Amino acid sequence: MLIKRDFYINGQWVATAAPHDCIVHDPSTEEPCAVISLGGQADTDAAVAAARAALPGWSATSAPGRLELAERILAAYTARADAMAAAISLEMGAPIDMARSDQVSAGTTHITNFITAFKAFEFIRPLGPQAPQTRIAFEPVGVAGLITPWNWPMNQIALKVIPALLAGCTMVLKPSEIAPLSALLFAEVLHEAGVPPGVFNLVNGDGPGVGTQLSTHPDVAMISFTGSARAGIAITKAAADSLKKVALELGGKGANLIFADADAEAVKRGVRHCFNNSGQSCNAPTRMLVERPAYARAVEIARETALATRVASAHEPGRHIGPVVSAAQYAKIQALIETGIAEGARLVAGGPGRPDGLNRGWFVRPTVFADVTPDMTIAREEIFGPVLSIMAFDTEQEALEIANGTPYGLTNYVQTADGPRRNRLARHLRSGMVEMNGVSRGPGAFFGGVGASGRAREGGHWGIEEFLDSKAISGWFGD
């Protein structure tokens, strides 16, 4: 078992002042795989003090200097890709091949896209020809507290750490205590790349501990959080007394609108997307809305796709889904599957319990419910597991009303050959992102939602601006 007790503070690995052990489990075996320590107030204070001390120097560095550092981080990160994939697979159960191809590469992609965006970023911009002596300046927010989840570790860490660095902020990262190993490795990457002492700091901890300490700390100017809506509300309340800037990227209950003229792969693509990462993605299309003439066939395709979805250990190579992350997550998913059955949804694939042949590990059967109604629990709550709910609609307006009938608003999806219909729906779906006909967001587009999904804008130049304050300056001299 790996024993790792150190935090990364002020450019050094340091022992915690108040050790409280936390066991990290391998979701494929349920066995302990590491022990970390959860930090206390003294650890948080030390990390924030280091970040505050480093802020004047780092915020005064030149844009080319920050860019050069980001490029060194990208090179160091790429060199550690195999080790990062192994850490992610071990700590949160992503199949090893998927960890390499998707989990690790998410970090690579974001770092690359931030570098591209930063090259064109203007920290001082003219307001416009109507005000030739007015400039809008962008300046670092200050010390940022970064709180990240376990489901896509490098995706979320890269979406916060890299733009904060480029913006000129210093920071304290609290990764998920459920999956901290990849974050510790990322700290090594930043150290190797030459991030100056105090600019980046890492303290392990849980939400009620280090998370709350960062949210209430008077020297932390901003909290950037990714996680549940419940935790996002708690962080917002905790941060209110110190008037922090708070950026929240929260959960989702994405609708996938499939019309009768959709392409032949639309249903299968939607099911696979829902099951990807064992369903542990906030932007998963977990509600499949199908136009009634195509409904019966869609249910059958979904059933066949679920039955063909292999579930196996994260340590095995190949294309399959792994376990969910923890015993608590497994229990929550099982309870929601049982609730779906009890409330009258038609179970067409999967169901309660583990897949055949797996009696250890937090493995969930790929599950499909048909004849779901919008009032059912499984249509309203974020399940965060490989569970798909299918329902029929008769008109475009009905589909829109069902899709928007949720407090969440992260990603919605549209599948139709009708171009004007796609554009129309894209404008009326209430979400921060809309993806249509299997076309992913382009490089540099932001990730973020509305409503109960939070209103963060992570990625590209929007992601850099999240860590900046704007200032209007009049009487500017010269061009």
Side-chain angles (χ1 to χ4, degrees):
M1 184 189 303
L2 171 67
I3 308 295
K4 182 73 173 181
R5 294 187 180 276
D6 292 345
F7 300 156
Y8 188 76
I9 298 176
N10 203 27
Q12 301 178 66
W13 293 100
V14 298
T16 175
H20 298 283
D21 284 348
C22 175
I23 297 175
V24 181
H25 291 86
D26 177 349
S28 293
T29 66
E30 304 181 32
E31 295 297 326
C33 64
V35 176
I36 63 166
S37 291
L38 303 182
Q41 186 69 57
D43 303 300
T44 302
D45 290 345
V48 172
R52 184 182 181 188
L55 181 63
W58 180 247
S59 63
T61 56
S62 68
R66 295 180 208 165
L67 178 63
E68 182 182 354
L69 177 60
E71 290 171 337
R72 294 201 306 271
I73 291 170
L74 177 59
Y77 180 83
T78 303
R80 303 291 288 271
D82 285 345
M84 187 65 75
I88 293 172
S89 183
L90 177 64
E91 69 187 357
M92 59 76 57
I96 186 61
D97 288 349
M98 181 265 192
R100 291 191 188 98
S101 63
D102 296 358
Q103 290 274 3
V104 174
S105 68
T108 309
T109 298
H110 291 314
I111 298 171
T112 302
N113 288 340
F114 279 127
I115 288 171
T116 299
F118 191 71
K119 288 177 179 178
F121 197 89
E122 295 179 292
F123 282 88
I124 301 177
R125 307 172 190 174
L127 177 61
Q130 80 282 6
Q133 286 188 293
T134 299
R135 296 293 184 272
I136 305 300
F138 291 87
E139 299 178 349
V141 169
V143 176
L146 314 178
I147 303 175
T148 55
W150 46 260
N151 59 322
W152 287 88
M154 283 302 104
N155 181 75
Q156 291 302 330
I157 288 175
L159 278 172
K160 299 183 190 301
V161 170
I162 303 304
L165 283 170
L166 290 172
C169 292
T170 57
M171 69 210 72
V172 179
L173 169 66
K174 187 209 84 65
S176 169
E177 71 277 16
I178 296 173
L181 305 181
S182 56
L184 292 166
L185 182 57
F186 190 75
E188 293 181 10
V189 166
L190 297 192
H191 187 81
E192 291 171 5
V195 174
V199 173
F200 170 85
N201 306 273
L202 182 152
V203 177
N204 282 313
D206 57 17
V210 175
T212 298
Q213 293 158 18
L214 287 172
S215 300
T216 58
H217 203 291
D219 292 333
V220 173
M222 174 183 176
I223 293 290
S224 178
F225 170 78
T226 299
S228 70
R230 174 193 54 77
I233 292 169
I235 285 170
T236 302
K237 291 179 178 178
D241 287 344
S242 52
L243 299 175
K244 288 176 174 47
K245 179 176 183 178
V246 178
L248 303 175
E249 197 282 283
L250 308 176
K253 194 67 180 175
N256 188 4
L257 281 58
I258 300 181
F259 289 83
D261 65 347
D263 67 88
E265 296 298 309
V267 173
K268 182 183 292 186
R269 182 170 65 241
V271 177
R272 287 178 173 171
H273 192 171
C274 176
F275 293 166
N276 186 45
N277 203 39
S278 300
Q280 300 170 123
S281 299
C282 52
N283 64 337
T286 55
R287 295 182 296 154
M288 182 176 284
L289 282 53
V290 184
E291 194 172 14
R292 197 169 299 279
Y295 182 75
R297 180 58 183 151
V299 171
E300 179 58 23
I301 293 172
R303 186 187 74 85
E304 294 170 353
T305 305
L307 293 176
T309 301
R310 183 169 173 260
V311 184
S313 168
H315 308 299
E316 291 186 20
R319 184 175 180 178
H320 57 275
I321 65 173
V324 296
V325 74
S326 66
Q329 188 67 17
Y330 177 83
K332 174 193 172 186
I333 296 165
Q334 295 300 312
L336 285 165
I337 291 173
E338 295 282 8
T339 299
I341 295 170
E343 292 183 355
R346 176 161 59 100
L347 182 66
V348 298
R354 293 181 176 85
D356 292 343
L358 295 169
N359 57 12
R360 289 280 291 173
W362 296 307
F363 297 98
V364 176
R365 300 172 69 190
T367 297
V368 175
F369 284 103
D371 304 343
V372 176
T373 56
D375 61 313
M376 291 181 179
T377 303
I378 58 173
R380 293 184 290 107
E381 293 190 14
E382 186 179 35
I383 299 173
F384 232 56
V387 181
L388 175 67
S389 299
I390 309 179
M391 55 194 87
F393 67 85
D394 291 300
T395 67
E396 180 180 318
Q397 184 59 33
E398 182 187 9
L400 189 62
E401 290 173 358
I402 295 172
N404 287 343
T406 173
Y408 293 107
L410 190 57
T411 315
N412 286 309
Y413 302 82
V414 178
Q415 322 295 330
T416 176
D418 186 331
R421 174 192 280 159
R422 288 202 306 273
N423 293 351
R424 190 165 57 242
L425 285 166
R427 296 304 305 275
H428 291 291
L429 284 165
R430 184 177 171 276
S431 55
M433 300 172 285
V434 178
E435 297 185 9
M436 301 188 288
N437 286 2
V439 179
S440 299
R441 290 168 296 114
F446 64 76
F447 188 101
V450 298
S453 295
R455 285 184 163 80
R457 293 293 180 265
E458 297 188 318
H461 75 262
W462 293 273
I464 298 170
E465 286 185 359
E466 286 274 63
F467 291 92
L468 295 166
D469 283 330
S470 53
K471 176 189 290 183
I473 303 172
S474 58
W476 187 264
F477 172 74
D479 298 329

